[in-house]
Amino acid sequence: MRSAQLTIDPAFSIGPADRRLFGSFVEHMGRCVYGGIYEPGHPNADSRGLRRDVLELTRELGVSVVRYPGGNFVSGYRWEDGVGPVGDRPRRLDLAWKTIETNAFGLDEFMTWAAEAGVEPMMAVNLGTRGVQEALDLLEYANHPGGTALSDLRRKHGAEDPYGVRLWCLGNEMDGPWQVGHKTADEYGRLAAEAARAMKMIDPSISLVACGSSNRRMPTFAAWEATVLEHTYEHVDYISAHTYYDPSDGDQASILASAVDMDNFITEVVATADHVAARQRHKRKLKISFDEWNVWYESRLQADLDRRGWVEAPALIEDDFTAVDAVVVGDLLITLLRHADRVGVAAQAQLANVIAPIRTRNGGPAWRQSIFHPFALTARYARGTVLRTEPVSPRYETKKYGDVPVLDTVAVHDEETGELTVFAVNRDQTDLPLDIDLRGLPSMSGLSFQSIAAGSDPSATNTEAEPDRVTPREMPTPTPDGGRCTVRLPAVSWNVLRFGPTSA
Ligand code: AHR
């Protein structure tokens, strides 16, 4: 039987495990807002229409930051439509998703929801159909204390204190020809730079995200980043990256190696940003905001859009995620952590119903999809300093990514508690014995070992009728001796192994 080895040493540190890596995304798309986080009249909704069951699951998921209101939606959005008395708000055509937007939910409702959920808001401004002035207006409404037309309007609407939103996205996927108001890299770069400069005049404490490519397969990828950053580097704090992995073709070997692609994507964006920094003589290293990532059965989207005319909050891309998808999501989280020195923010897309860890039925229950579990466990245990692990692993061949290792790992060391957590994926179709050498941490005991294994039932999903088919299983706790132990990672599995200092 094949086996693998892993050496972990607290001296090999990458950087702090930033809480902002555990972000999510709420877009006005499908039933993410309407019927997801917000459903007035639902038996579980509060007096403001916020679904308490979804709020509870959001807290359990461990989400830190939530991007809003889009996504493609933001590129045609007028934020002013979503504030003030609900009865006065206009109904609009949303061109991104061919939907009627009622505007019953808007900025103030989102801020109330974010406070209840205990998450940091991350706002996006519309640089598709709008420009610098509208971005400034939104920032003044949200962050200026008072005494001006727009800050006083916010106070009149019931929010006396400014919202103090720290993270702002300068548009969304502006490289994509599907985007309303799509631009060339030079057009977008100029606009983003001017919006950024002016926004920081209103509030210098904000951090700004320039749009990178919509994915690594875009024909303009890397050239787009280079041009946009030539214009914006000195004004922004992050460049965005987005990626989705589509399992529709049934090529399990490749989908399990999706993290290899994400890893290369991050390395290439970092190299491009560093190239611009070198040309422009910047000392400050730019970070990535990986503000859309997930598994997505993307080939089904067109059917969803073709099926209907203009309607309110239709069910859109409500993918049922499998046990294999959970392993892939866990591996993507491993990759984000491994790049904690250069990825400062990340947001899984999306939070509720739309390719989401949380599913709901209108008027009915809410439940955890398979992908909920690796996210929740990683957000709970990845605390402290991310450590570089040194795996020695067997390899296998994939159609999409060539020869890849079967084992993928990262470790996080919490200096305060002394605890060490190892996240490990076995992409192999058979169990993988793994020898772990906790070098520099010789007196550790095993605390727990949890596993999501997809080997025996790869297509298992969690449904309303069977919400707990895919959940983490307890495995035999490892027992290190002199800092060494061997564990058995089940076939096709995502695993979390926890160790703590042995008490004297
Ligand atoms: O998350 C769904 C969509 O995917 C977003 O609106 C867009 O930014 C991306 O293409």
Side-chain angles (χ1 to χ4, degrees):
M1 179 179 280
R2 309 206 287 175
S3 67
Q5 293 83 42
L6 187 62
T7 305
I8 300 168
D9 190 319
F12 300 162
S13 110
I14 295 175
D18 198 317
R19 300 313 301 159
R20 280 178 167 173
L21 292 180
F22 306 109
S24 189
F25 176 33
V26 166
E27 175 166 8
H28 283 246
M29 176 179 179
R31 295 192 312 119
C32 187
V33 172
Y34 305 107
I37 65 170
Y38 174 80
E39 193 182 337
H42 186 279
N44 267 320
D46 67 13
S47 57
R48 299 156 300 188
L50 306 179
R51 277 188 70 153
R52 287 198 203 90
D53 50 354
V54 176
L55 274 169
E56 245 167 63
L57 286 175
T58 303
R59 288 188 284 258
E60 182 185 323
L61 190 59
V63 170
S64 54
V65 51
V66 175
R67 181 168 173 252
Y68 174 83
N72 296 343
F73 171 79
V74 80
S75 295
Y77 182 50
R78 286 172 263 213
W79 68 268
E80 307 88 327
D81 289 349
V83 298
V86 173
D88 297 345
R89 298 186 192 175
R91 290 164 64 81
R92 300 274 191 199
L93 297 180
D94 160 30
L95 306 187
W97 305 116
K98 212 174 160 193
T99 299
I100 299 280
E101 172 57 52
T102 64
N103 284 305
F105 189 95
L107 176 63
D108 297 311
E109 288 80 15
F110 176 69
M111 291 301 168
T112 305
W113 177 85
E116 289 280 325
V119 302
E120 177 186 2
M122 177 186 197
M123 290 296 302
V125 301
N126 174 356
L127 292 187
T129 58
R130 308 189 99 188
V132 178
Q133 186 59 60
E134 294 88 347
L136 295 179
D137 289 350
L138 173 54
L139 179 59
E140 181 186 324
Y141 183 94
N143 281 13
H144 193 70
T148 64
L150 290 167
S151 55
D152 286 346
L153 187 63
R154 181 199 68 239
R155 294 164 72 197
K156 188 173 149 205
H157 292 157
E160 184 57 33
D161 294 329
Y163 292 126
V165 180
R166 298 273 73 86
L167 278 171
W168 293 82
C169 302
L170 299 166
N172 176 71
E173 295 190 351
M174 299 308 302
D175 62 323
W178 58 84
Q179 202 69 216
V180 177
H182 160 236
K183 293 177 175 43
T184 66
D186 275 308
E187 287 166 350
Y188 169 70
R190 286 275 303 123
L191 178 59
E194 290 312 312
R197 239 166 33 82
M199 287 173 79
K200 285 197 173 172
M201 287 178 197
I202 291 186
D203 185 349
S205 72
I206 58 176
S207 296
L208 296 173
V209 184
C211 286
S213 295
S214 304
N215 60 69
R216 189 174 175 232
R217 300 177 308 279
M218 294 299 287
T220 49
F221 169 58
W224 171 275
E225 278 77 359
T227 305
V228 166
L229 289 177
E230 288 285 344
H231 289 288
T232 58
Y233 199 106
E234 66 177 294
H235 306 295
V236 303
D237 305 276
Y238 300 92
I239 179 91
S240 74
H242 291 179
T243 197
Y244 294 99
Y245 295 100
D246 188 346
S248 307
D249 63 6
D251 176 1
Q252 198 188 105
S254 292
I255 197 74
L256 281 168
S258 301
V260 172
D261 181 73
M262 184 193 244
D263 198 85
N264 289 332
F265 189 9
I266 293 171
T267 307
E268 288 161 358
V269 175
V270 165
T272 309
D274 288 353
H275 166 81
V276 177
R279 280 168 60 100
Q280 297 188 350
R281 313 288 189 263
H282 295 290
K283 288 211 175 72
R284 178 176 59 92
K285 296 269 189 229
L286 204 74
K287 288 200 171 184
I288 295 175
S289 171
F290 217 119
D291 45 43
E292 284 186 39
W293 66 267
N294 208 348
V295 172
W296 175 3
Y297 291 74
E298 217 168 333
S299 40
R300 297 177 191 162
L301 169 66
Q302 202 49 49
D304 276 2
L305 294 174
D306 287 346
R307 215 178 285 140
R308 62 203 167 78
W310 297 97
V311 289
E312 289 174 28
L316 276 184
I317 57 169
E318 300 199 355
D319 288 346
D320 294 320
F321 291 110
T322 66
V324 170
D325 299 336
V327 173
V328 175
V329 161
D331 203 7
L332 297 175
L333 285 160
I334 288 176
T335 309
L336 291 167
L337 280 169
R338 213 179 20 242
H339 289 278
D341 53 340
R342 295 306 292 270
V343 180
V345 179
Q348 188 185 34
Q350 300 187 4
L351 179 69
N353 292 324
V354 176
I355 44 170
I358 300 172
R359 270 292 279 282
T360 71
R361 181 160 58 75
N362 290 353
W367 64 96
R368 300 166 191 80
Q369 290 236 57
S370 66
I371 62 169
F372 183 100
H373 298 291
F375 191 107
L377 287 175
T378 309
R380 186 178 320 155
Y381 293 125
R383 290 181 187 267
T385 302
V386 182
L387 304 182
R388 193 178 316 283
T389 53
E390 293 295 336
V392 177
S393 166
R395 304 181 72 86
Y396 74 108
E397 192 59 30
T398 65
K399 272 202 204 101
K400 286 192 190 143
Y401 309 116
D403 175 54
V404 304
V406 303
L407 175 71
D408 197 19
T409 57
V410 76
V412 185
H413 186 219
D414 186 337
E415 290 87 351
E416 273 175 33
T417 61
E419 285 176 17
L420 177 82
T421 305
V422 180
F423 300 96
V425 160
N426 174 18
R427 299 174 176 139
D428 214 350
Q429 297 297 328
T430 57
D431 291 3
L432 182 70
L434 173 65
D435 300 324
I436 304 179
D437 180 357
L438 303 175
R439 215 165 74 176
L441 296 165
S443 46
M444 294 291 253
S445 307
L447 297 177
S448 65
F449 174 7
Q450 285 174 285
S451 182
I452 298 177
S456 57
D457 196 358
S459 54
T461 57
N462 291 345
T463 59
E464 181 180 347
E466 271 188 289
D468 294 319
R469 262 184 87 189
V470 185
T471 52
R473 304 272 178 247
E474 293 294 338
M475 306 288 287
T477 304
T479 49
D481 185 5
R484 301 182 83 100
C485 61
T486 300
V487 295
R488 202 180 176 88
L489 305 180
V492 191
S493 63
W494 175 86
N495 305 276
V496 50
L497 295 128
R498 295 179 52 245
F499 301 91
T502 306
S503 40

